[in-house]
Amino acid sequence: MAASETDEMGAVFRALADPTRRRLLDALFAEDGRSAGQLCAEVPEMTRFGVMKHVGVLEQAGLVTSRREGRTKLHYLNPVPIGLVADRWISKYAAPFTRAMVGLRTGLESGA
Amino acid sequence: MAASETDEMGAVFRALADPTRRRLLDALFAEDGRSAGQLCAEVPEMTRFGVMKHVGVLEQAGLVTSRREGRTKLHYLNPVPIGLVADRWISKYAAPFTRAMVGLRTGLESGA
DNA sequence: TGGACATGTGACCAGATGGTCACCTATTCT
DNA sequence: AGAATAGGTGACCATCTGGTCACATGTCCA
């Protein structure tokens, strides 16, 4: 059960931990195939280098794939790793309990 | 920030980013209501203090609730936040694409 | 060919995080 | 009461990570 931990999953979790990266993923989800420059424009409060670093993390986690087109590099969202995490790990916790428990939550926390 | 981003979700993602914390969650999933000492025994390569810090992060993220019982503190898994994250964020990516692909891939992995 | 544009690399700094320790509080048992 | 057990605090240090910069590379177009 704990054997369901893989390096890939760890990378995905770590990549997902940063809000900027989630934003980037969101941007890519809204419109695929963006160039690096376009992605940088998506996060204006950070320099190009910072954004590219985040994109690099996402690529290494397999959440984003890229392909060069002349002098630009286009980025594409890859939802498969997220799906794997959801499937193998999150649903394990979420599925059995959550649906019924969402309403009872405050009752459960009474002891704190 | 994206509209679906909340502080709670950020905390959950950050809490989930650490393998030790995922392990703790796993342990709690396997058997609920453990004391702090029992949880520490679950991660023997780390001191009690380190483990307690991780437990604290999990509590602050709302993934673990606790209740004092005499001089011991019992911990319970709370799958609701994970469910919320899965529901609001992950399914957004996973649902449209992944189901078919995950099926394909896990099939390949088990078959190969 | 030269020069502007789009991206990549490695060093580097600051702040956050993981982990440990010495010490403290509260509860139980005799 | 006093000792032993379970847990909590705050300071502290090592390391990791986020972010920036100067500079290098490659590509397009005049």
Side-chain angles (χ1 to χ4, degrees):
Chain A
M1 315 188 85
S4 57
E5 280 281 337
T6 59
D7 272 3
E8 185 181 2
M9 275 176 51
V12 171
F13 275 120
R14 235 178 306 114
L16 252 33
D18 188 287
T20 303
R21 290 195 284 266
R22 292 198 295 278
R23 234 165 98 191
L24 251 14
L25 243 31
D26 260 334
L28 239 31
F29 181 79
E31 189 190 335
D32 229 6
R34 304 203 187 195
S35 70
Q38 284 174 307
L39 284 177
C40 293
E42 200 67 32
V43 191
E45 77 272 18
M46 191 183 301
T47 63
R48 183 171 66 86
F49 310 96
V51 177
M52 305 255 299
K53 237 180 183 179
H54 284 300
V55 171
V57 173
L58 290 171
E59 282 189 20
Q60 273 202 313
L63 291 166
V64 165
T65 60
S66 60
R67 127 180 166 252
R68 305 217 50 168
E69 174 99 10
R71 68 176 154 175
T72 72
K73 185 179 169 189
L74 303 180
H75 299 83
Y76 298 89
L77 181 64
N78 177 23
V80 175
I82 291 187
L84 287 174
V85 165
D87 211 51
R88 290 197 196 156
W89 207 85
I90 290 187
S91 63
K92 173 170 105 185
Y93 294 88
F97 298 96
T98 312
R99 264 159 227 168
M101 277 173 105
V102 167
L104 288 103
R105 179 178 181 182
T106 44
L108 283 179
E109 288 170 351
S110 61
Chain B
M1 309 187 186
S4 56
E5 280 281 336
T6 60
D7 271 3
E8 185 181 3
M9 275 175 54
V12 171
F13 275 120
R14 234 177 304 116
L16 252 32
D18 188 288
T20 303
R21 290 196 285 266
R22 291 199 296 276
R23 233 165 98 191
L24 251 14
L25 244 29
D26 260 335
L28 239 31
F29 181 79
E31 189 191 336
D32 230 4
R34 304 203 186 193
S35 70
Q38 285 173 306
L39 283 177
C40 293
E42 198 68 32
V43 190
E45 77 272 20
M46 191 183 301
T47 63
R48 182 172 68 86
F49 311 95
V51 177
M52 305 255 299
K53 239 181 183 180
H54 284 300
V55 172
V57 173
L58 290 171
E59 283 190 20
Q60 273 203 311
L63 291 165
V64 164
T65 61
S66 60
R67 130 182 162 247
R68 304 218 52 166
E69 175 100 9
R71 67 176 154 176
T72 72
K73 185 179 169 191
L74 303 180
H75 299 83
Y76 298 88
L77 182 64
N78 176 21
V80 175
I82 290 187
L84 288 175
V85 165
D87 218 48
R88 287 195 203 152
W89 207 84
I90 290 186
S91 62
K92 174 170 104 187
Y93 294 87
F97 301 93
T98 314
R99 247 172 248 171
M101 297 174 90
V102 166
L104 198 76
R105 178 163 178 175
T106 46
L108 287 177
E109 283 174 352
S110 61

